[in-house]
């Protein structure tokens, strides 16, 4: 990613997670899978249209990347996006190094960084003060890591993912607006629909 990332998090525009999620999903077809991390990330993915190729993680923080890595390795012809909140990613940072070591060409990690554990009361995360997730990802071995500086830049990064080889890491700063919906809490249905969506169940 050639863009000048020197300014890091402080130079990235604060955007809206539901809007960015819709912009992402609008570019996808039946060949791309999306794994939504718990909470608001998940709710905005659900509200963006409930594609059968979407999986909605309920309950445990930090599992979007490990699940997406598994799907990406199992189905190398399918591009896979992991969507995760900053608090959830911070809870499972080792996953970044694991992805870097596995080098899946078809995996992109997108983190929505609102600097808070928004859904549990907006307690600040480390990114609100000291930590830059793109630099962490680069240090973990993910060379193709970038901040999305505005909506148009976010869309261009997604297009690069859809055309080129990963793994990729994209971070976007997001605001404190409420999510656009709420995921239906039916894990068995979510799992079956996703398996049907990616062709592993009939
Ligand atoms: C392992 C674990 N610890 C704590 C919780 C409680 N919890 C659920 S969501 C959440 C905050 C998630 O923060 P983040 O990923 O940044 O997403 P945001 O709410 O900001 O969208 C917490 C602490 C949990 N579900 N699982």
């Amino acid at each position: 990613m050639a863009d000048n990332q020197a300014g890091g998090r402080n130079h990235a525009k604060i955007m809206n997670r539901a809007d960015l999620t819709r912009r992402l999903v609008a570019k996808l077809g039946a060949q791309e899978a999306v794994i939504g991390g718990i909470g608001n990330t998940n709710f905005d993915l659900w509200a963006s249209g409930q594609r059968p190729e979407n999986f909605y993680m309920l309950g445990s923080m930090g599992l979007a990347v490990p699940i997406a890595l598994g799907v990406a390795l199992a189905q190398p012809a399918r591009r896979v996006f992991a969507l995760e909140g900053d608090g959830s990613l911070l809870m499972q940072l080792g996953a970044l190094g694991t992805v870097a070591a596995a080098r899946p060409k078809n995996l992109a990690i997108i983190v929505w960084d609102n600097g808070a554990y928004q859904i549990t009361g907006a307690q600040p995360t480390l990114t609100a003060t000291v930590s830059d997730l793109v630099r962490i990802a680069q240090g973990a071995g993910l060379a193709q890591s970038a901040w999305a500086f505005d909506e148009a830049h976010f869309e261009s990064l997604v297009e690069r993912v859809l055309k080129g080889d990963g793994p990729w890491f994209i971070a976007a700063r997001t605001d404190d607006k409420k999510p656009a919906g709420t995921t239906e809490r039916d894990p068995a249905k979510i799992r079956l629909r996703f398996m049907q969506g990616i062709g592993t169940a009939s």
Side-chain angles (χ1 to χ4, degrees), residues 3 30 36 41 59 66-67 85 87 97-98 105 123 131-132 153 159 176 188 202:
D3 313 66
T41 299
I67 292 169
T98 304
K105 290 180 179 171
Q123 302 86 354
S131 298
D132 183 309
H153 185 221
E159 273 155 28
D176 60 359
S202 50

Side-chain angles (χ1 to χ4, degrees), residues 52-53 78 189 191-202:
E53 301 83 8
R78 184 186 297 284
K189 192 168 147 190
R191 183 185 59 184
L192 178 62
R193 189 145 185 260
F194 180 65
M195 289 176 73
Q196 289 168 337
I198 63 167
T200 55
S202 50

